Structures are given as structure tokens and as C-alpha cells.
mmCIF file of all heavy atoms in Angstrom:
data_model
loop_
_atom_site.group_PDB
_atom_site.id
_atom_site.type_symbol
_atom_site.label_atom_id
_atom_site.label_comp_id
_atom_site.label_asym_id
_atom_site.label_seq_id
_atom_site.Cartn_x
_atom_site.Cartn_y
_atom_site.Cartn_z
ATOM 1 N N SER A 137 13.083 13.207 15.884
ATOM 2 C CA SER A 137 14.155 14.195 15.728
ATOM 3 C C SER A 137 14.579 14.786 17.075
ATOM 4 O O SER A 137 15.680 15.318 17.202
ATOM 5 C CB SER A 137 13.703 15.306 14.778
ATOM 6 O OG SER A 137 12.514 15.920 15.258
ATOM 7 N N ASN A 138 13.729 14.687 18.099
ATOM 8 C CA ASN A 138 14.045 15.192 19.442
ATOM 9 C C ASN A 138 14.078 14.060 20.473
ATOM 10 O O ASN A 138 13.826 14.275 21.643
ATOM 11 C CB ASN A 138 13.026 16.256 19.864
ATOM 12 C CG ASN A 138 13.108 17.486 19.001
ATOM 13 O OD1 ASN A 138 14.200 17.932 18.652
ATOM 14 N ND2 ASN A 138 11.965 18.029 18.629
ATOM 15 N N GLY A 139 14.352 12.842 19.996
ATOM 16 C CA GLY A 139 14.346 11.681 20.887
ATOM 17 C C GLY A 139 13.014 10.955 20.802
ATOM 18 O O GLY A 139 12.063 11.410 20.170
ATOM 19 N N GLY A 140 12.953 9.806 21.434
ATOM 20 C CA GLY A 140 11.732 9.009 21.429
ATOM 21 C C GLY A 140 11.624 8.136 20.185
ATOM 22 O O GLY A 140 12.356 8.310 19.207
ATOM 23 N N SER A 141 10.714 7.191 20.262
ATOM 24 C CA SER A 141 10.459 6.309 19.127
ATOM 25 C C SER A 141 9.018 5.812 19.192
ATOM 26 O O SER A 141 8.407 5.779 20.257
ATOM 27 C CB SER A 141 11.433 5.124 19.131
ATOM 28 O OG SER A 141 11.227 4.324 20.265
ATOM 29 N N MET A 142 8.503 5.454 18.025
ATOM 30 C CA MET A 142 7.138 4.932 17.907
ATOM 31 C C MET A 142 7.172 3.695 17.021
ATOM 32 O O MET A 142 8.012 3.582 16.140
ATOM 33 C CB MET A 142 6.205 5.965 17.261
ATOM 34 C CG MET A 142 6.013 7.221 18.024
ATOM 35 S SD MET A 142 4.839 8.292 17.152
ATOM 36 C CE MET A 142 5.242 9.856 17.858
ATOM 37 N N GLN A 143 6.244 2.784 17.260
ATOM 38 C CA GLN A 143 6.131 1.577 16.444
ATOM 39 C C GLN A 143 5.104 1.800 15.332
ATOM 40 O O GLN A 143 4.046 2.396 15.553
ATOM 41 C CB GLN A 143 5.687 0.386 17.284
ATOM 42 C CG GLN A 143 6.750 -0.136 18.234
ATOM 43 C CD GLN A 143 7.938 -0.704 17.499
ATOM 44 O OE1 GLN A 143 9.034 -0.180 17.627
ATOM 45 N NE2 GLN A 143 7.745 -1.748 16.730
ATOM 46 N N LEU A 144 5.432 1.291 14.133
ATOM 47 C CA LEU A 144 4.539 1.363 12.977
ATOM 48 C C LEU A 144 4.214 -0.052 12.526
ATOM 49 O O LEU A 144 5.113 -0.864 12.298
ATOM 50 C CB LEU A 144 5.204 2.130 11.828
ATOM 51 C CG LEU A 144 4.502 2.044 10.469
ATOM 52 C CD1 LEU A 144 3.117 2.681 10.523
ATOM 53 C CD2 LEU A 144 5.345 2.705 9.395
ATOM 54 N N HIS A 145 2.928 -0.326 12.422
ATOM 55 C CA HIS A 145 2.447 -1.612 11.898
ATOM 56 C C HIS A 145 1.751 -1.336 10.573
ATOM 57 O O HIS A 145 0.801 -0.544 10.514
ATOM 58 C CB HIS A 145 1.464 -2.266 12.882
ATOM 59 C CG HIS A 145 0.826 -3.497 12.349
ATOM 60 N ND1 HIS A 145 1.472 -4.713 12.297
ATOM 61 C CD2 HIS A 145 -0.404 -3.701 11.812
ATOM 62 C CE1 HIS A 145 0.665 -5.610 11.764
ATOM 63 N NE2 HIS A 145 -0.475 -5.020 11.462
ATOM 64 N N LEU A 146 2.250 -1.952 9.484
ATOM 65 C CA LEU A 146 1.623 -1.758 8.173
ATOM 66 C C LEU A 146 0.275 -2.454 8.127
ATOM 67 O O LEU A 146 0.089 -3.532 8.694
ATOM 68 C CB LEU A 146 2.527 -2.296 7.065
ATOM 69 C CG LEU A 146 3.817 -1.525 6.866
ATOM 70 C CD1 LEU A 146 4.689 -2.216 5.824
ATOM 71 C CD2 LEU A 146 3.537 -0.100 6.455
ATOM 72 N N GLY A 147 -0.670 -1.830 7.412
ATOM 73 C CA GLY A 147 -2.026 -2.355 7.349
ATOM 74 C C GLY A 147 -2.378 -2.948 5.998
ATOM 75 O O GLY A 147 -1.516 -3.368 5.228
ATOM 76 N N GLN A 148 -3.656 -2.943 5.709
ATOM 77 C CA GLN A 148 -4.200 -3.508 4.480
ATOM 78 C C GLN A 148 -3.843 -2.652 3.273
ATOM 79 O O GLN A 148 -3.416 -1.516 3.400
ATOM 80 C CB GLN A 148 -5.723 -3.608 4.587
ATOM 81 C CG GLN A 148 -6.199 -4.595 5.612
ATOM 82 C CD GLN A 148 -5.941 -6.025 5.173
ATOM 83 O OE1 GLN A 148 -6.041 -6.361 4.004
ATOM 84 N NE2 GLN A 148 -5.580 -6.864 6.116
ATOM 85 N N SER A 149 -4.076 -3.232 2.112
ATOM 86 C CA SER A 149 -3.849 -2.509 0.859
ATOM 87 C C SER A 149 -5.176 -2.338 0.131
ATOM 88 O O SER A 149 -6.151 -3.014 0.411
ATOM 89 C CB SER A 149 -2.862 -3.271 -0.033
ATOM 90 O OG SER A 149 -3.427 -4.500 -0.448
ATOM 91 N N LEU A 150 -5.170 -1.431 -0.811
ATOM 92 C CA LEU A 150 -6.316 -1.216 -1.687
ATOM 93 C C LEU A 150 -5.762 -1.067 -3.097
ATOM 94 O O LEU A 150 -5.001 -0.130 -3.324
ATOM 95 C CB LEU A 150 -7.077 0.044 -1.269
ATOM 96 C CG LEU A 150 -8.414 0.302 -1.949
ATOM 97 C CD1 LEU A 150 -9.387 -0.801 -1.630
ATOM 98 C CD2 LEU A 150 -8.984 1.627 -1.504
ATOM 99 N N PRO A 151 -5.999 -1.965 -4.021
ATOM 100 C CA PRO A 151 -6.883 -3.116 -3.916
ATOM 101 C C PRO A 151 -6.351 -4.144 -2.920
ATOM 102 O O PRO A 151 -5.155 -4.212 -2.659
ATOM 103 C CB PRO A 151 -6.904 -3.692 -5.335
ATOM 104 C CG PRO A 151 -5.709 -3.154 -6.012
ATOM 105 C CD PRO A 151 -5.361 -1.871 -5.337
ATOM 106 N N VAL A 152 -7.282 -4.940 -2.401
ATOM 107 C CA VAL A 152 -6.931 -5.950 -1.407
ATOM 108 C C VAL A 152 -6.084 -7.033 -2.059
ATOM 109 O O VAL A 152 -6.368 -7.471 -3.172
ATOM 110 C CB VAL A 152 -8.214 -6.540 -0.783
ATOM 111 C CG1 VAL A 152 -7.876 -7.658 0.186
ATOM 112 C CG2 VAL A 152 -9.012 -5.456 -0.080
ATOM 113 N N SER A 153 -5.041 -7.432 -1.376
ATOM 114 C CA SER A 153 -4.122 -8.453 -1.882
ATOM 115 C C SER A 153 -4.680 -9.849 -1.629
ATOM 116 O O SER A 153 -5.262 -10.080 -0.573
ATOM 117 C CB SER A 153 -2.785 -8.317 -1.172
ATOM 118 O OG SER A 153 -1.890 -9.336 -1.543
ATOM 119 N N PRO A 154 -4.538 -10.780 -2.551
ATOM 120 C CA PRO A 154 -4.006 -10.651 -3.904
ATOM 121 C C PRO A 154 -5.075 -10.123 -4.855
ATOM 122 O O PRO A 154 -6.271 -10.241 -4.586
ATOM 123 C CB PRO A 154 -3.613 -12.093 -4.266
ATOM 124 C CG PRO A 154 -4.583 -12.927 -3.515
ATOM 125 C CD PRO A 154 -4.861 -12.173 -2.233
ATOM 126 N N PHE A 155 -4.642 -9.544 -5.969
ATOM 127 C CA PHE A 155 -5.579 -9.033 -6.961
ATOM 128 C C PHE A 155 -5.037 -9.298 -8.355
ATOM 129 O O PHE A 155 -3.854 -9.560 -8.536
ATOM 130 C CB PHE A 155 -5.852 -7.528 -6.754
ATOM 131 C CG PHE A 155 -4.657 -6.660 -6.993
ATOM 132 C CD1 PHE A 155 -4.424 -6.099 -8.234
ATOM 133 C CD2 PHE A 155 -3.761 -6.385 -5.969
ATOM 134 C CE1 PHE A 155 -3.305 -5.288 -8.460
ATOM 135 C CE2 PHE A 155 -2.652 -5.585 -6.180
ATOM 136 C CZ PHE A 155 -2.420 -5.035 -7.429
ATOM 137 N N ILE A 156 -5.925 -9.233 -9.336
ATOM 138 C CA ILE A 156 -5.542 -9.438 -10.731
ATOM 139 C C ILE A 156 -5.332 -8.075 -11.360
ATOM 140 O O ILE A 156 -6.235 -7.235 -11.343
ATOM 141 C CB ILE A 156 -6.613 -10.234 -11.492
ATOM 142 C CG1 ILE A 156 -6.769 -11.619 -10.868
ATOM 143 C CG2 ILE A 156 -6.254 -10.349 -12.972
ATOM 144 C CD1 ILE A 156 -7.920 -12.426 -11.417
ATOM 145 N N ASN A 157 -4.141 -7.844 -11.898
ATOM 146 C CA ASN A 157 -3.837 -6.569 -12.537
ATOM 147 C C ASN A 157 -4.678 -6.425 -13.806
ATOM 148 O O ASN A 157 -4.796 -7.364 -14.591
ATOM 149 C CB ASN A 157 -2.344 -6.485 -12.879
ATOM 150 C CG ASN A 157 -1.958 -5.112 -13.353
ATOM 151 O OD1 ASN A 157 -2.337 -4.111 -12.759
ATOM 152 N ND2 ASN A 157 -1.211 -5.045 -14.436
ATOM 153 N N SER A 158 -5.261 -5.257 -14.003
ATOM 154 C CA SER A 158 -6.142 -5.058 -15.160
ATOM 155 C C SER A 158 -5.611 -4.030 -16.156
ATOM 156 O O SER A 158 -6.269 -3.753 -17.145
ATOM 157 C CB SER A 158 -7.533 -4.633 -14.679
ATOM 158 O OG SER A 158 -7.447 -3.418 -13.966
ATOM 159 N N THR A 159 -4.437 -3.462 -15.900
ATOM 160 C CA THR A 159 -3.907 -2.462 -16.822
ATOM 161 C C THR A 159 -2.796 -3.049 -17.687
ATOM 162 O O THR A 159 -2.088 -3.963 -17.269
ATOM 163 C CB THR A 159 -3.350 -1.246 -16.056
ATOM 164 O OG1 THR A 159 -2.311 -1.683 -15.192
ATOM 165 C CG2 THR A 159 -4.430 -0.546 -15.264
ATOM 166 N N HIS A 160 -2.649 -2.504 -18.871
ATOM 167 C CA HIS A 160 -1.583 -2.905 -19.788
ATOM 168 C C HIS A 160 -0.478 -1.855 -19.745
ATOM 169 O O HIS A 160 -0.755 -0.664 -19.727
ATOM 170 C CB HIS A 160 -2.121 -2.991 -21.224
ATOM 171 C CG HIS A 160 -3.117 -4.078 -21.435
ATOM 172 N ND1 HIS A 160 -2.758 -5.369 -21.701
ATOM 173 C CD2 HIS A 160 -4.475 -4.070 -21.412
ATOM 174 C CE1 HIS A 160 -3.841 -6.108 -21.845
ATOM 175 N NE2 HIS A 160 -4.889 -5.346 -21.653
ATOM 176 N N PRO A 161 0.808 -2.297 -19.730
ATOM 177 C CA PRO A 161 1.896 -1.320 -19.778
ATOM 178 C C PRO A 161 1.765 -0.442 -21.020
ATOM 179 O O PRO A 161 1.291 -0.924 -22.038
ATOM 180 C CB PRO A 161 3.152 -2.189 -19.853
ATOM 181 C CG PRO A 161 2.735 -3.499 -19.266
ATOM 182 C CD PRO A 161 1.292 -3.658 -19.635
ATOM 183 N N PRO A 162 2.063 0.817 -20.954
ATOM 184 C CA PRO A 162 2.802 1.511 -19.901
ATOM 185 C C PRO A 162 1.913 2.075 -18.796
ATOM 186 O O PRO A 162 2.395 2.839 -17.966
ATOM 187 C CB PRO A 162 3.488 2.641 -20.671
ATOM 188 C CG PRO A 162 2.498 3.006 -21.723
ATOM 189 C CD PRO A 162 1.863 1.684 -22.130
ATOM 190 N N PHE A 163 0.624 1.729 -18.775
ATOM 191 C CA PHE A 163 -0.254 2.238 -17.720
ATOM 192 C C PHE A 163 0.064 1.537 -16.407
ATOM 193 O O PHE A 163 0.528 0.409 -16.383
ATOM 194 C CB PHE A 163 -1.716 2.067 -18.114
ATOM 195 C CG PHE A 163 -2.071 2.838 -19.343
ATOM 196 C CD1 PHE A 163 -2.237 2.187 -20.557
ATOM 197 C CD2 PHE A 163 -2.199 4.211 -19.307
ATOM 198 C CE1 PHE A 163 -2.541 2.901 -21.703
ATOM 199 C CE2 PHE A 163 -2.499 4.939 -20.438
ATOM 200 C CZ PHE A 163 -2.668 4.271 -21.642
ATOM 201 N N LYS A 164 -0.208 2.231 -15.280
ATOM 202 C CA LYS A 164 0.172 1.730 -13.965
ATOM 203 C C LYS A 164 -1.050 1.580 -13.069
ATOM 204 O O LYS A 164 -2.019 2.318 -13.205
ATOM 205 C CB LYS A 164 1.176 2.689 -13.319
ATOM 206 C CG LYS A 164 2.444 2.818 -14.122
ATOM 207 C CD LYS A 164 3.361 3.879 -13.570
ATOM 208 C CE LYS A 164 4.587 3.982 -14.473
ATOM 209 N NZ LYS A 164 5.417 5.100 -14.129
ATOM 210 N N THR A 165 -0.964 0.646 -12.152
ATOM 211 C CA THR A 165 -1.996 0.426 -11.142
ATOM 212 C C THR A 165 -1.516 1.043 -9.841
ATOM 213 O O THR A 165 -0.395 0.782 -9.408
ATOM 214 C CB THR A 165 -2.237 -1.086 -10.938
ATOM 215 O OG1 THR A 165 -2.663 -1.659 -12.172
ATOM 216 C CG2 THR A 165 -3.290 -1.325 -9.868
ATOM 217 N N GLN A 166 -2.352 1.867 -9.211
ATOM 218 C CA GLN A 166 -1.986 2.451 -7.925
ATOM 219 C C GLN A 166 -2.447 1.530 -6.799
ATOM 220 O O GLN A 166 -3.584 1.063 -6.796
ATOM 221 C CB GLN A 166 -2.598 3.834 -7.746
ATOM 222 C CG GLN A 166 -1.907 4.885 -8.571
ATOM 223 C CD GLN A 166 -2.244 6.301 -8.129
ATOM 224 O OE1 GLN A 166 -3.277 6.553 -7.533
ATOM 225 N NE2 GLN A 166 -1.349 7.220 -8.417
ATOM 226 N N ILE A 167 -1.534 1.301 -5.859
ATOM 227 C CA ILE A 167 -1.823 0.473 -4.693
ATOM 228 C C ILE A 167 -1.607 1.326 -3.456
ATOM 229 O O ILE A 167 -0.528 1.869 -3.247
ATOM 230 C CB ILE A 167 -0.903 -0.760 -4.653
ATOM 231 C CG1 ILE A 167 -1.130 -1.600 -5.913
ATOM 232 C CG2 ILE A 167 -1.142 -1.576 -3.393
ATOM 233 C CD1 ILE A 167 -0.143 -2.712 -6.096
ATOM 234 N N MET A 168 -2.658 1.472 -2.648
ATOM 235 C CA MET A 168 -2.584 2.259 -1.424
ATOM 236 C C MET A 168 -2.391 1.325 -0.228
ATOM 237 O O MET A 168 -3.044 0.285 -0.149
ATOM 238 C CB MET A 168 -3.863 3.082 -1.218
ATOM 239 C CG MET A 168 -3.987 4.300 -2.118
ATOM 240 S SD MET A 168 -4.433 3.973 -3.808
ATOM 241 C CE MET A 168 -6.118 3.530 -3.720
ATOM 242 N N VAL A 169 -1.510 1.719 0.687
ATOM 243 C CA VAL A 169 -1.219 0.924 1.880
ATOM 244 C C VAL A 169 -1.328 1.833 3.091
ATOM 245 O O VAL A 169 -0.723 2.904 3.134
ATOM 246 C CB VAL A 169 0.187 0.294 1.809
ATOM 247 C CG1 VAL A 169 0.496 -0.475 3.090
ATOM 248 C CG2 VAL A 169 0.313 -0.615 0.593
ATOM 249 N N GLY A 170 -2.097 1.395 4.072
ATOM 250 C CA GLY A 170 -2.248 2.143 5.311
ATOM 251 C C GLY A 170 -1.388 1.557 6.416
ATOM 252 O O GLY A 170 -0.571 0.658 6.182
ATOM 253 N N GLY A 171 -1.580 2.061 7.627
ATOM 254 C CA GLY A 171 -0.815 1.555 8.759
ATOM 255 C C GLY A 171 -1.326 2.120 10.069
ATOM 256 O O GLY A 171 -2.177 3.017 10.094
ATOM 257 N N THR A 172 -0.808 1.569 11.167
ATOM 258 C CA THR A 172 -1.173 2.023 12.506
ATOM 259 C C THR A 172 0.092 2.423 13.253
ATOM 260 O O THR A 172 1.075 1.668 13.289
ATOM 261 C CB THR A 172 -1.906 0.915 13.291
ATOM 262 O OG1 THR A 172 -3.102 0.573 12.582
ATOM 263 C CG2 THR A 172 -2.269 1.368 14.695
ATOM 264 N N LEU A 173 0.055 3.606 13.829
ATOM 265 C CA LEU A 173 1.163 4.153 14.600
ATOM 266 C C LEU A 173 0.813 4.057 16.078
ATOM 267 O O LEU A 173 -0.246 4.530 16.499
ATOM 268 C CB LEU A 173 1.387 5.613 14.192
ATOM 269 C CG LEU A 173 2.578 6.342 14.767
ATOM 270 C CD1 LEU A 173 3.874 5.684 14.296
ATOM 271 C CD2 LEU A 173 2.547 7.808 14.346
ATOM 272 N N MET A 174 1.695 3.408 16.868
ATOM 273 C CA MET A 174 1.493 3.307 18.305
ATOM 274 C C MET A 174 2.244 4.463 18.969
ATOM 275 O O MET A 174 3.475 4.525 18.912
ATOM 276 C CB MET A 174 2.017 1.973 18.846
ATOM 277 C CG MET A 174 1.058 0.791 18.628
ATOM 278 S SD MET A 174 0.753 0.343 16.931
ATOM 279 C CE MET A 174 2.077 -0.753 16.576
#
């Protein structure tokens, strides 16, 4: 917002990809994704 820029690299997911979905609709599976900011 005040100038400058940073690079973002997306990281691994949890559950680790690929995975077998174990929930039946309308229930949902949460997938978390991390990353690294330079």
C-alpha cells in the first residue's frame, strides 16, 4: 500500500495432495494451504 512488492510461493497442503475425500455431501472437507513470503 506504500510501495514495494514481495514474492509469495505457495506451499504444501493439509491433507497432503492427492488424497481420498472421506466426507459425504453436504459435509465439507477443509484443506489448509501454507506459503512462503520473500
Side-chain angles (χ1 to χ4, degrees):
S137 57
N138 295 319
S141 64
M142 297 182 201
Q143 288 295 117
L144 168 64
H145 174 78
L146 292 175
Q148 293 289 324
S149 66
L150 189 63
V152 176
S153 175
F155 66 93
I156 298 172
N157 188 46
S158 61
T159 60
H160 293 276
F163 298 105
K164 299 173 182 172
T165 300
Q166 286 196 336
I167 299 171
M168 285 76 73
V169 177
T172 299
L173 186 64
M174 280 65 86

